[in-house]
């Protein structure tokens, strides 16, 4: 288990101190795949580099299992080469003048580990490169180079794997395939892993849990599904996926059912969490809004049906993106079907109560 408490890190820029990470706390369970997700510059890499020992925190308590990797309290810091951690970066960072085999063998050789060949070949097999052991690392594709880097990170029996946007330099098709492979590999090996990315889809696919970061802070931590379907913070709703947000106020509540007053009228919602605020933003994802030409065609829509006008439609390949104007509010709606335009673009949309989430107005100034 990895525990990070009160991690602060500032950089000196032009004589001034700029905070990059402002008191971050989290715990990663043994065998868990944990992701730091957030926009560029929010402090993800700095957090990871402090855990690896590549940066020195201003203050923190970082423990891995029984070992204090870094402790301000005890004035202790385990040097980087003594931390049993593997790391994979965005740039492949493999040695071009060496063969595939020698690249992976390198960390074992430095430490004088016995039975090296067996270990190197096992690692290469795990990433599907055993047939290329003699190939010079320069003669590899980007995906293959990154596999070498992964094999090199797992060849030692590490306690923790750190990934800093390792798939960002690959083309989109390969990125999707490698996501899947990486997840399989991590499950198979059961190594506790922390992954850094700004790509929310990647975070969803790979992770057991996700920590959403902004401006040096962790905004919220949750299971991938919960972060997407039931975010608790406005920043999460905006950053992870697309969302429709309507200012609203709860006017009545009865157990899990509540009614929210909004600019387009009253909307019935099911409150999923006891912490739902009485005032804030009602959120619904574009793909959770059914639409139709007639009211009758909307399945199980006894409440929350609104008449609107199609403002635009965009073909995205997978889905149709519609912008639907209801009163003063424009909804984004995604459907797998193309709704051939007719009836002067008049449509009905349904906001299923169980898909509506109440979020607090942002008090941190993040939005
Ligand atoms: P992320 O990985 O989320 O994109 P980083 O951790 O790399 O973010 O950076 C967080 C903040 O710290 C940014 O504002 C960045 O400009 C700054 N920063 C990162 N590394 C350095 C450095 N070596 N020197 C000065 N500022 C840095
Ligand atoms: Mg980064």
């Amino acid at each position: 288990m990895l525990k990070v408490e009160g991690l602060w890190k500032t950089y000196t820029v032009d004589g001034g101190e700029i905070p990059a990470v402002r008191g971050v706390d989290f715990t990663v369970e043994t065998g868990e795949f944990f992701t730091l997700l957030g926009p560029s510059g929010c402090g993800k890499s700095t957090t990871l580099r402090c855990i690896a020992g590549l940066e020195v925190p201003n203050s923190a308590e970082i423990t891995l299992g029984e070992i204090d990797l870094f402790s301000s309290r005890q004035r202790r810091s385990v040097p980087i080469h003594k931390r049993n951690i593997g790391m994979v970066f965005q740039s492949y960072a493999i040695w071009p003048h060496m063969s595939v085999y020698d690249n992976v063998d390198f960390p074992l050789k430095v430490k004088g580990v016995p039975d090296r060949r067996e270990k190197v070949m096992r690692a290469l097999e795990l990433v599907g490169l055993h047939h290329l052991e003699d190939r010079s690392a320069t003669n590899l594709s980007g995906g293959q180079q990154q596999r070498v880097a992964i094999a090199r990170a797992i060849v030692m029996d590490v306690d923790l794997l750190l990934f800093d946007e390792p798939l960002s330099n690959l083309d989109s098709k390969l990125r999707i395939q490698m996501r899947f492979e990486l997840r399989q590999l991590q499950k198979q090996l059961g190594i506790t892993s922390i992954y850094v990315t700004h790509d929310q889809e990647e975070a969803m696919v790979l992770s057991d849990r996700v920590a959403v970061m902004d401006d040096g802070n962790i905004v919220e931590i949750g299971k991938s599904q919960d972060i997407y379907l039931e975010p608790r913070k406005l920043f999460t709703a905006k950053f992870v996926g697309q969302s429709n947000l309507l200012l609203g106020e709860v006017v009545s509540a009865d157990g899990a059912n509540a009614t929210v007053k909004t600019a387009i009228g009253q909307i019935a919602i099911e409150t999923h969490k006891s912490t739902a605020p009485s005032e804030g933003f009602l959120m619904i994802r574009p793909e959770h809004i059914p639409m139709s030409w007639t009211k009758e065609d909307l399945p199980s829509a006894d409440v929350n049906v609104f008449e609107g006008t199609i403002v635009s439609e965009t073909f995205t390949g997978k889905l149709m993106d519609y912008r639907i104007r209801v009163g003063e509010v424009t909804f984004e709606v995604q459907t797998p079907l193309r709704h051939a335009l007719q009836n002067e673009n008049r449509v009905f949309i349904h906001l299923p109560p169980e898909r509506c989430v109440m979020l607090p107005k942002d008090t941190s100034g993040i939005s």
Side-chain angles (χ1 to χ4, degrees), residues 49-333:
R49 292 169 64 85
C50 286
I51 297 168
L54 291 163
E55 300 284 355
V56 183
N58 298 53
S59 66
E61 303 296 317
I62 305 174
T63 55
L64 180 58
E66 300 293 302
I67 304 158
D68 291 314
L69 292 183
F70 186 91
S71 170
S72 307
R73 243 179 265 142
Q74 298 178 41
R75 296 175 170 274
R76 167 203 290 259
S77 178
V78 175
I80 179 164
H81 61 276
K82 293 214 168 128
R83 299 188 185 193
N84 198 15
I85 294 174
M87 189 147 179
V88 182
F89 301 91
Q90 178 175 348
S91 59
Y92 311 126
I94 58 173
W95 293 287
H97 58 281
M98 289 188 194
S99 69
V100 166
Y101 182 94
D102 288 341
N103 260 283
V104 179
D105 182 43
F106 190 80
L108 300 176
K109 200 168 159 184
V110 169
K111 293 215 168 172
V113 172
D115 303 323
R116 278 159 35 205
R117 177 157 184 91
E118 198 182 310
K119 293 193 166 86
V120 172
M121 291 315 289
R122 176 162 181 267
L124 283 175
E125 188 138 3
L126 281 166
V127 298
L129 284 186
H130 47 292
H131 59 297
L132 294 180
E133 57 167 310
D134 297 325
R135 176 89 55 98
S136 157
T138 25
N139 300 326
L140 296 174
S141 69
Q144 288 170 332
Q145 289 188 44
Q146 201 53 310
R147 286 191 173 90
V148 173
I150 294 167
R152 194 183 51 193
I154 61 175
V155 73
M156 303 278 295
D157 287 321
V158 291
D159 297 324
L160 182 67
L161 271 175
L162 305 176
F163 297 95
D164 194 346
E165 313 233 11
L167 307 183
S168 296
N169 284 353
L170 305 176
D171 63 64
S172 68
K173 204 158 180 181
L174 188 57
R175 204 156 62 216
I176 289 167
Q177 185 194 332
M178 291 228 10
R179 250 181 222 169
F180 180 73
E181 285 179 21
L182 206 54
R183 179 60 176 153
Q184 294 296 107
L185 182 65
Q186 190 270 344
K187 270 191 177 160
Q188 191 178 345
L189 297 173
I191 304 177
T192 311
S193 301
I194 307 181
Y195 193 94
V196 157
T197 182
H198 64 274
D199 180 329
Q200 48 109 4
E201 239 180 69
E202 203 166 284
M204 295 293 122
V205 171
L206 283 165
S207 323
D208 294 310
R209 282 189 310 144
V210 174
V212 179
M213 284 188 77
D214 184 44
D215 198 18
N217 295 295
I218 289 182
V219 177
E220 75 175 287
I221 299 179
K223 289 184 184 157
S224 321
Q225 275 209 10
D226 293 345
I227 287 287
Y228 187 82
L229 294 174
E230 292 177 43
R232 277 172 296 186
K233 295 286 169 63
L234 191 58
F235 180 82
T236 310
K238 287 182 175 175
F239 184 73
V240 182
Q242 284 168 276
S243 53
N244 293 291
L245 295 162
L246 278 97
L247 213 49
E249 188 190 336
V250 176
V251 286
S252 71
D254 174 16
N257 300 302
T259 305
V260 182
K261 197 174 112 191
T262 72
I264 62 166
Q266 297 209 334
I267 298 175
I269 69 164
E270 277 174 27
T271 51
H272 311 255
K273 296 197 168 74
S274 53
T275 53
S278 59
E279 205 186 337
F281 287 94
L282 186 153
M283 182 212 81
I284 183 161
R285 301 282 187 195
E287 71 275 21
H288 292 151
I289 304 179
M291 76 181 228
S292 167
W293 301 112
T294 64
K295 254 183 175 170
E296 293 69 40
D297 284 347
L298 291 170
S300 66
D302 44 352
V303 291
N304 299 354
V305 177
F306 296 92
E307 189 173 352
T309 314
I310 297 178
V311 182
S312 68
E313 65 166 3
T314 315
F315 177 65
T316 68
K318 241 190 292 184
L319 295 163
M320 292 299 298
D321 270 8
Y322 289 94
R323 293 174 79 83
I324 314 276
R325 192 129 185 101
V326 178
E328 297 295 300
V329 177
T330 304
F331 283 89
E332 296 206 18
V333 175

Side-chain angles (χ1 to χ4, degrees), residues 11-13 18-21 38-47 55 164-165 196:
Y11 290 108
T12 308
V13 181
I18 308 282
V21 179
S40 173
C42 72
K44 306 181 295 292
S45 295
T46 302
T47 303
E55 300 284 355
D164 194 346
E165 313 233 11
V196 157

